[in-house]
Short mmCIF file of all heavy atoms in Angstrom, two decimals:
data_model
loop_
_atom_site.label_atom_id
_atom_site.label_comp_id
_atom_site.label_asym_id
_atom_site.label_seq_id
_atom_site.Cartn_x
_atom_site.Cartn_y
_atom_site.Cartn_z
N ASP A 29 0.86 -1.18 0.00
CA ASP A 29 0.00 0.00 0.00
C ASP A 29 0.90 1.23 0.00
O ASP A 29 2.03 1.18 0.51
CB ASP A 29 -0.92 0.00 1.22
CG ASP A 29 -2.06 0.99 1.07
OD1 ASP A 29 -2.25 1.54 -0.04
OD2 ASP A 29 -2.77 1.24 2.07
N TYR A 30 0.39 2.32 -0.58
CA TYR A 30 1.17 3.54 -0.69
C TYR A 30 0.32 4.75 -0.38
O TYR A 30 -0.90 4.76 -0.59
CB TYR A 30 1.72 3.69 -2.12
CG TYR A 30 2.64 2.58 -2.54
CD1 TYR A 30 2.16 1.47 -3.23
CD2 TYR A 30 4.00 2.64 -2.26
CE1 TYR A 30 3.00 0.44 -3.62
CE2 TYR A 30 4.86 1.62 -2.65
CZ TYR A 30 4.35 0.52 -3.33
OH TYR A 30 5.19 -0.50 -3.71
N ALA A 31 0.97 5.79 0.09
CA ALA A 31 0.31 7.08 0.20
C ALA A 31 0.00 7.59 -1.20
O ALA A 31 0.75 7.34 -2.15
CB ALA A 31 1.21 8.06 0.94
N ASP A 32 -1.10 8.30 -1.33
CA ASP A 32 -1.49 8.83 -2.64
C ASP A 32 -0.39 9.70 -3.24
O ASP A 32 -0.20 9.72 -4.46
CB ASP A 32 -2.77 9.64 -2.52
CG ASP A 32 -3.99 8.77 -2.28
OD1 ASP A 32 -3.91 7.55 -2.53
OD2 ASP A 32 -5.01 9.31 -1.83
N SER A 33 0.34 10.39 -2.39
CA SER A 33 1.35 11.33 -2.87
C SER A 33 2.54 10.65 -3.54
O SER A 33 3.30 11.31 -4.26
CB SER A 33 1.85 12.20 -1.71
OG SER A 33 2.39 11.38 -0.69
N VAL A 34 2.70 9.34 -3.31
CA VAL A 34 3.86 8.64 -3.88
C VAL A 34 3.47 7.52 -4.84
O VAL A 34 4.34 6.90 -5.45
CB VAL A 34 4.78 8.08 -2.78
CG1 VAL A 34 5.18 9.18 -1.80
CG2 VAL A 34 4.16 6.91 -2.06
N LYS A 35 2.18 7.25 -4.97
CA LYS A 35 1.74 6.17 -5.86
C LYS A 35 2.23 6.41 -7.27
O LYS A 35 2.13 7.52 -7.80
CB LYS A 35 0.21 6.06 -5.84
CG LYS A 35 -0.33 5.30 -4.65
CD LYS A 35 -1.85 5.20 -4.70
CE LYS A 35 -2.38 4.46 -3.48
NZ LYS A 35 -3.85 4.42 -3.45
N GLY A 36 2.75 5.35 -7.87
CA GLY A 36 3.27 5.44 -9.23
C GLY A 36 4.70 5.91 -9.31
O GLY A 36 5.32 5.82 -10.37
N ARG A 37 5.24 6.42 -8.21
CA ARG A 37 6.63 6.89 -8.19
C ARG A 37 7.51 6.04 -7.27
O ARG A 37 8.69 5.84 -7.55
CB ARG A 37 6.70 8.35 -7.73
CG ARG A 37 5.95 9.32 -8.63
CD ARG A 37 6.23 10.77 -8.24
NE ARG A 37 5.81 11.07 -6.88
CZ ARG A 37 6.62 11.53 -5.93
NH1 ARG A 37 7.90 11.75 -6.19
NH2 ARG A 37 6.14 11.81 -4.72
N PHE A 38 6.95 5.58 -6.15
CA PHE A 38 7.71 4.83 -5.16
C PHE A 38 7.28 3.37 -5.19
O PHE A 38 6.11 3.05 -5.43
CB PHE A 38 7.47 5.37 -3.76
CG PHE A 38 8.05 6.73 -3.48
CD1 PHE A 38 8.55 7.53 -4.49
CD2 PHE A 38 8.11 7.20 -2.17
CE1 PHE A 38 9.10 8.77 -4.22
CE2 PHE A 38 8.65 8.44 -1.88
CZ PHE A 38 9.14 9.23 -2.90
N THR A 39 8.24 2.48 -4.92
CA THR A 39 7.96 1.06 -4.85
C THR A 39 8.64 0.47 -3.63
O THR A 39 9.85 0.65 -3.45
CB THR A 39 8.45 0.32 -6.10
OG1 THR A 39 7.84 0.89 -7.26
CG2 THR A 39 8.09 -1.16 -6.03
N ILE A 40 7.88 -0.23 -2.81
CA ILE A 40 8.44 -0.91 -1.64
C ILE A 40 8.60 -2.38 -1.98
O ILE A 40 7.75 -2.98 -2.65
CB ILE A 40 7.55 -0.71 -0.39
CG1 ILE A 40 8.25 -1.22 0.86
CG2 ILE A 40 6.17 -1.31 -0.58
CD1 ILE A 40 7.52 -0.85 2.16
N SER A 41 9.70 -2.96 -1.53
CA SER A 41 9.95 -4.38 -1.77
C SER A 41 10.76 -4.92 -0.59
O SER A 41 11.23 -4.15 0.26
CB SER A 41 10.71 -4.59 -3.08
OG SER A 41 11.97 -3.95 -3.05
N ARG A 42 10.89 -6.23 -0.56
CA ARG A 42 11.65 -6.84 0.53
C ARG A 42 12.39 -8.07 0.03
O ARG A 42 11.95 -8.74 -0.91
CB ARG A 42 10.73 -7.20 1.70
CG ARG A 42 9.69 -8.26 1.40
CD ARG A 42 8.70 -8.37 2.56
NE ARG A 42 9.35 -8.77 3.79
CZ ARG A 42 8.86 -8.54 5.01
NH1 ARG A 42 7.71 -7.90 5.14
NH2 ARG A 42 9.50 -8.95 6.08
N ASP A 43 13.50 -8.34 0.69
CA ASP A 43 14.29 -9.55 0.43
C ASP A 43 14.44 -10.23 1.77
O ASP A 43 15.29 -9.85 2.58
CB ASP A 43 15.64 -9.19 -0.18
CG ASP A 43 16.44 -10.40 -0.59
OD1 ASP A 43 16.17 -11.51 -0.08
OD2 ASP A 43 17.35 -10.25 -1.41
N ASN A 44 13.61 -11.24 2.02
CA ASN A 44 13.63 -11.89 3.32
C ASN A 44 14.93 -12.67 3.56
O ASN A 44 15.33 -12.87 4.71
CB ASN A 44 12.42 -12.81 3.47
CG ASN A 44 11.14 -12.03 3.67
OD1 ASN A 44 11.16 -10.84 3.99
ND2 ASN A 44 10.00 -12.68 3.48
N ALA A 45 15.58 -13.09 2.50
CA ALA A 45 16.86 -13.79 2.66
C ALA A 45 17.94 -12.85 3.19
O ALA A 45 18.89 -13.29 3.83
CB ALA A 45 17.29 -14.39 1.33
N LYS A 46 17.78 -11.56 2.91
CA LYS A 46 18.75 -10.56 3.36
C LYS A 46 18.24 -9.72 4.52
O LYS A 46 18.92 -8.78 4.96
CB LYS A 46 19.13 -9.64 2.20
CG LYS A 46 19.83 -10.32 1.04
CD LYS A 46 20.22 -9.33 -0.04
CE LYS A 46 20.96 -10.03 -1.17
NZ LYS A 46 21.35 -9.06 -2.25
N ASN A 47 17.03 -10.05 5.00
CA ASN A 47 16.43 -9.28 6.10
C ASN A 47 16.43 -7.78 5.79
O ASN A 47 16.76 -6.95 6.66
CB ASN A 47 17.18 -9.53 7.41
CG ASN A 47 16.73 -10.80 8.10
OD1 ASN A 47 16.02 -11.62 7.50
ND2 ASN A 47 17.14 -11.00 9.33
N THR A 48 16.05 -7.46 4.58
CA THR A 48 16.12 -6.07 4.14
C THR A 48 14.84 -5.67 3.40
O THR A 48 14.30 -6.46 2.62
CB THR A 48 17.34 -5.85 3.22
OG1 THR A 48 18.53 -6.20 3.92
CG2 THR A 48 17.43 -4.39 2.78
N VAL A 49 14.39 -4.46 3.66
CA VAL A 49 13.28 -3.88 2.92
C VAL A 49 13.81 -2.64 2.20
O VAL A 49 14.70 -1.95 2.69
CB VAL A 49 12.10 -3.54 3.86
CG1 VAL A 49 12.48 -2.48 4.88
CG2 VAL A 49 10.89 -3.10 3.07
N TYR A 50 13.25 -2.41 1.01
CA TYR A 50 13.73 -1.33 0.17
C TYR A 50 12.60 -0.35 -0.16
O TYR A 50 11.42 -0.70 -0.15
CB TYR A 50 14.26 -1.89 -1.15
CG TYR A 50 15.35 -2.92 -0.99
CD1 TYR A 50 15.05 -4.29 -1.03
CD2 TYR A 50 16.67 -2.54 -0.77
CE1 TYR A 50 16.04 -5.24 -0.88
CE2 TYR A 50 17.67 -3.49 -0.62
CZ TYR A 50 17.35 -4.83 -0.67
OH TYR A 50 18.33 -5.77 -0.51
N LEU A 51 12.98 0.86 -0.47
CA LEU A 51 12.05 1.84 -1.01
C LEU A 51 12.71 2.48 -2.22
O LEU A 51 13.66 3.26 -2.08
CB LEU A 51 11.70 2.90 0.02
CG LEU A 51 10.64 3.92 -0.44
CD1 LEU A 51 9.28 3.22 -0.60
CD2 LEU A 51 10.51 5.08 0.55
N GLN A 52 12.23 2.10 -3.40
CA GLN A 52 12.71 2.70 -4.64
C GLN A 52 11.91 3.96 -4.90
O GLN A 52 10.68 3.90 -5.01
CB GLN A 52 12.56 1.73 -5.80
CG GLN A 52 12.99 2.29 -7.15
CD GLN A 52 14.48 2.57 -7.22
OE1 GLN A 52 15.29 1.76 -6.80
NE2 GLN A 52 14.84 3.73 -7.77
N MET A 53 12.59 5.08 -5.01
CA MET A 53 11.93 6.37 -5.18
C MET A 53 12.36 6.97 -6.51
O MET A 53 13.54 7.23 -6.73
CB MET A 53 12.30 7.31 -4.03
CG MET A 53 12.02 6.73 -2.66
SD MET A 53 12.30 7.92 -1.32
CE MET A 53 14.06 8.16 -1.47
N ASN A 54 11.40 7.14 -7.39
CA ASN A 54 11.65 7.71 -8.70
C ASN A 54 10.94 9.05 -8.85
O ASN A 54 10.02 9.36 -8.10
CB ASN A 54 11.18 6.75 -9.80
CG ASN A 54 11.89 5.42 -9.77
OD1 ASN A 54 13.06 5.33 -9.40
ND2 ASN A 54 11.19 4.37 -10.18
N SER A 55 11.36 9.82 -9.83
CA SER A 55 10.73 11.11 -10.13
C SER A 55 10.58 11.95 -8.86
O SER A 55 9.49 12.47 -8.57
CB SER A 55 9.37 10.89 -10.80
OG SER A 55 9.49 10.13 -11.97
N LEU A 56 11.65 12.09 -8.14
CA LEU A 56 11.59 12.78 -6.86
C LEU A 56 11.25 14.25 -7.02
O LEU A 56 11.64 14.90 -8.00
CB LEU A 56 12.91 12.61 -6.12
CG LEU A 56 13.09 11.23 -5.46
CD1 LEU A 56 14.54 10.96 -5.13
CD2 LEU A 56 12.22 11.12 -4.22
N LYS A 57 10.51 14.75 -6.04
CA LYS A 57 10.04 16.12 -6.02
C LYS A 57 10.55 16.81 -4.75
O LYS A 57 10.86 16.14 -3.77
CB LYS A 57 8.51 16.15 -6.02
CG LYS A 57 7.85 15.40 -7.16
CD LYS A 57 6.34 15.40 -7.00
CE LYS A 57 5.66 14.65 -8.14
NZ LYS A 57 4.18 14.65 -7.97
N PRO A 58 10.61 18.13 -4.75
CA PRO A 58 11.05 18.83 -3.53
C PRO A 58 10.21 18.47 -2.31
O PRO A 58 10.73 18.39 -1.19
CB PRO A 58 10.88 20.30 -3.90
CG PRO A 58 11.05 20.34 -5.38
CD PRO A 58 10.42 19.06 -5.87
N GLU A 59 8.93 18.20 -2.52
CA GLU A 59 8.05 17.86 -1.39
C GLU A 59 8.32 16.47 -0.83
O GLU A 59 7.74 16.08 0.19
CB GLU A 59 6.58 17.99 -1.77
CG GLU A 59 6.19 17.27 -3.05
CD GLU A 59 6.19 18.21 -4.26
OE1 GLU A 59 7.14 19.02 -4.38
OE2 GLU A 59 5.25 18.10 -5.07
N ASP A 60 9.20 15.70 -1.47
CA ASP A 60 9.62 14.42 -0.91
C ASP A 60 10.74 14.58 0.11
O ASP A 60 11.14 13.60 0.76
CB ASP A 60 10.09 13.47 -2.03
CG ASP A 60 8.98 13.10 -2.99
OD1 ASP A 60 7.86 12.82 -2.52
OD2 ASP A 60 9.24 13.07 -4.21
N THR A 61 11.25 15.79 0.25
CA THR A 61 12.31 16.04 1.21
C THR A 61 11.82 15.75 2.62
O THR A 61 10.81 16.30 3.06
CB THR A 61 12.79 17.49 1.12
OG1 THR A 61 13.39 17.70 -0.17
CG2 THR A 61 13.79 17.82 2.20
N ALA A 62 12.54 14.89 3.33
CA ALA A 62 12.13 14.47 4.67
C ALA A 62 13.16 13.50 5.22
O ALA A 62 14.04 13.03 4.49
CB ALA A 62 10.75 13.80 4.63
N VAL A 63 13.01 13.19 6.49
CA VAL A 63 13.72 12.06 7.07
C VAL A 63 12.83 10.84 6.90
O VAL A 63 11.65 10.87 7.27
CB VAL A 63 14.05 12.29 8.56
CG1 VAL A 63 14.72 11.05 9.14
CG2 VAL A 63 14.92 13.52 8.74
N TYR A 64 13.38 9.79 6.33
CA TYR A 64 12.63 8.57 6.06
C TYR A 64 12.98 7.51 7.09
O TYR A 64 14.16 7.25 7.36
CB TYR A 64 12.94 8.07 4.66
CG TYR A 64 12.26 8.88 3.58
CD1 TYR A 64 12.66 10.18 3.29
CD2 TYR A 64 11.18 8.35 2.87
CE1 TYR A 64 12.01 10.92 2.31
CE2 TYR A 64 10.53 9.09 1.90
CZ TYR A 64 10.95 10.38 1.62
OH TYR A 64 10.31 11.12 0.67
N TYR A 65 11.93 6.90 7.64
CA TYR A 65 12.08 5.89 8.68
C TYR A 65 11.47 4.57 8.21
O TYR A 65 10.38 4.57 7.63
CB TYR A 65 11.36 6.31 9.95
CG TYR A 65 11.85 7.60 10.57
CD1 TYR A 65 11.28 8.81 10.19
CD2 TYR A 65 12.85 7.59 11.53
CE1 TYR A 65 11.71 10.00 10.76
CE2 TYR A 65 13.28 8.78 12.11
CZ TYR A 65 12.70 9.97 11.71
OH TYR A 65 13.14 11.14 12.28
#
């Protein structure tokens, strides 16, 4: 699921073998500026 503001631009995925989750962020905008947790 995604916030409306990032739908179509951001993709979340996970690799359970590596215990890692990713956030691919494309077409970044100034309003995406933030600390990401």
